[in-house]
Amino acid sequence: MKKFFIFSLLIFPLFSLAQDGTSVYPFMNIPISARQAALGGDVMSVRDFDTSFSMINPALMNEEQDKMVALNYASYLADTKYGTLSYVKDLSRGSLLSVNARYMDYGKMPRTDEAANIFGDFSAMDASFGIGYAYQFEDEWTIGANLNFITSKIDNYTSMAMLGNIAAAYHFERTNETVSLIFRNLGYQIKTYNGVREKLPFRVDLGYTRILDEFPVAISITAHDLQKFNISQETNINGQEVGFGKKVLDHFSFGVELFPQEAFNIRFGYNVKRGSELAVLDQRNFTGLSAGFGIKISWLRFDYAHVRYHNSSNVNMFGLALDLIEIGGNRR
């Protein structure tokens, strides 16, 4: 009970750090892997072999991730290209180190004036490079932090920032439960696009994952964007004002993974906010749903996710995880 009380005290900074955020560097809140995308897009409490989660939640690093490399790629919305890379090294005595990178290439776009005359084209791209550290103590508790250097380019305008994540995780091995709290994208915009400093995409997430004993399934519940209560649109697709209950539900996403500790996994997810705000009136479109699978063959793991954003916009994401220990001829 004492440990849970200490963990609950971490909730209090929510009230002092609350801010609205903005769209600057929004790629930092895009799902970092095919597995996360398939589980609803926000899950951040899965503590196992998957090094990808260390990019957003360094407190999930553990010995199973030692010398694991994960790569993920998606042809994202509007033909943008998105990719991530992560690696974790066990430094022994409860210390772990990670490195990561991600990019978003928006491609070329026509340059126009007020009269819609086209004058060539321009490109835009975002990228981040980061390192992370985690320390595990008392077997159940892990704390972690990472620091990311952000660079962004839109035509002739550039911007740079330093963003960090601070997290804590409690893993109860006997019941296969993990609870984690993370403060994401804290930092400072070093260089602005045009002299106006913008707010960073700060957010606070609280997640819970449990692997059931009775059936081989892992259930994840994530409460995201807790730094602000009202993250909903003013009205729903029927034109009615969004009520209190819906504003609460919009903070949640859910994920289910069948056979989570086996070589083959099946995953499903649902994002409440995305499901309601991108739905089309009087059409069955399954917006907000996601699904995918993972398969492990020797030292290679392949992941796939299909995410339903809108009737006209779906995303397919692919991931590869390489076990460098097994590649070297050793067994874990």
Side-chain angles (χ1 to χ4, degrees):
M1 291 299 294
K2 180 180 178 182
K3 293 177 181 178
F4 278 106
F5 175 73
I6 294 173
F7 186 81
S8 67
L9 291 179
L10 295 174
I11 299 294
F12 283 98
L14 297 180
F15 301 101
S16 61
L17 290 173
Q19 53 178 288
D20 291 346
T22 183
S23 60
V24 66
Y25 316 131
F27 80 112
M28 294 298 290
N29 286 328
I30 292 176
I32 43 81
S33 69
R35 189 182 186 194
Q36 188 191 35
L39 292 173
D42 294 304
V43 60
M44 35 66 70
S45 52
V46 177
R47 187 183 183 276
D48 56 18
F49 58 86
D50 196 338
T51 63
S52 296
F53 286 113
S54 67
M55 296 183 65
I56 54 170
N57 189 349
L60 293 180
M61 283 190 272
N62 60 84
E63 294 179 354
E64 285 189 71
Q65 299 176 3
D66 183 35
K67 296 183 180 179
M68 296 281 287
V69 179
L71 303 95
N72 290 271
Y73 172 82
S75 180
Y76 211 65
L77 304 175
D79 293 326
T80 58
K81 305 297 186 293
Y82 176 68
T84 67
L85 168 69
S86 59
Y87 171 78
V88 171
K89 169 66 177 175
D90 183 7
L91 302 178
S92 73
R93 298 185 179 181
S95 295
L96 299 106
L97 179 72
S98 68
V99 294
N100 69 80
R102 75 181 87 183
Y103 79 97
M104 175 74 86
D105 185 355
Y106 300 95
K108 293 188 178 297
M109 291 161 276
R111 182 186 286 110
T112 62
D113 60 13
E114 295 85 350
N117 297 310
I118 298 177
F119 299 92
D121 52 32
F122 69 96
S123 60
M125 187 184 74
D126 295 326
S128 76
F129 308 90
I131 59 173
Y133 174 79
Y135 179 67
Q136 182 179 353
F137 59 98
E138 296 187 13
D139 296 329
E140 298 95 352
W141 281 95
T142 304
I143 56 175
N146 56 22
L147 184 64
N148 301 298
F149 172 73
I150 313 297
T151 179
S152 179
K153 182 178 183 295
I154 303 175
D155 197 9
N156 296 321
Y157 299 93
T158 59
S159 175
M160 293 183 293
M162 296 295 292
L163 302 183
N165 298 342
I166 301 174
Y170 179 84
H171 177 67
F172 195 25
E173 187 173 359
R174 187 171 64 86
T175 57
N176 279 323
E177 293 176 282
T178 302
V179 181
S180 190
L181 175 69
I182 179 171
F183 298 86
R184 297 175 60 175
N185 304 324
L186 293 160
Y188 183 75
Q189 192 175 20
I190 301 170
K191 180 181 179 183
T192 64
Y193 292 106
N194 59 355
V196 177
R197 184 161 281 107
E198 302 170 89
K199 290 183 180 179
L200 301 174
F202 171 75
R203 60 186 278 184
V204 181
D205 295 349
L206 177 66
Y208 170 79
T209 296
R210 180 174 183 178
I211 301 176
L212 302 183
D213 295 328
E214 303 81 6
F215 190 77
V217 61
I219 299 174
S220 295
I221 303 173
T222 306
H224 58 87
D225 293 288
L226 297 178
Q227 77 285 351
K228 181 182 179 182
F229 172 68
N230 186 9
I231 61 172
S232 307
Q233 293 181 342
E234 294 183 3
T235 59
N236 58 27
I237 59 174
N238 295 308
Q240 300 170 333
E241 184 179 354
V242 174
F244 176 84
K246 182 60 173 64
K247 291 178 180 179
V248 172
L249 287 175
D250 277 348
H251 284 277
F252 287 89
S253 64
F254 306 90
V256 174
E257 186 170 36
L258 301 176
F259 318 114
Q261 297 174 316
E262 303 299 329
F264 179 71
N265 326 109
I266 302 174
R267 300 154 185 156
F268 302 95
Y270 181 68
N271 187 298
V272 177
K273 186 174 187 293
R274 188 170 68 225
S276 59
E277 294 186 353
L278 296 181
V280 178
L281 186 63
D282 297 329
Q283 290 188 27
R284 182 180 298 175
N285 46 46
F286 304 104
T287 301
L289 292 174
S290 54
F293 65 87
I295 183 169
K296 183 179 184 298
I297 303 175
S298 184
W299 45 262
L300 175 68
R301 181 179 292 273
F302 173 78
D303 293 302
Y304 168 77
H306 178 81
V307 184
R308 184 74 169 177
Y309 281 92
H310 189 268
N311 277 357
S312 60
S313 299
N314 302 308
V315 171
N316 295 299
M317 196 167 187
F318 305 88
L320 289 176
L322 309 176
D323 189 331
L324 300 185
I325 291 179
E326 294 193 3
I327 289 178
N330 301 312
R331 297 187 63 85
R332 288 186 178 271

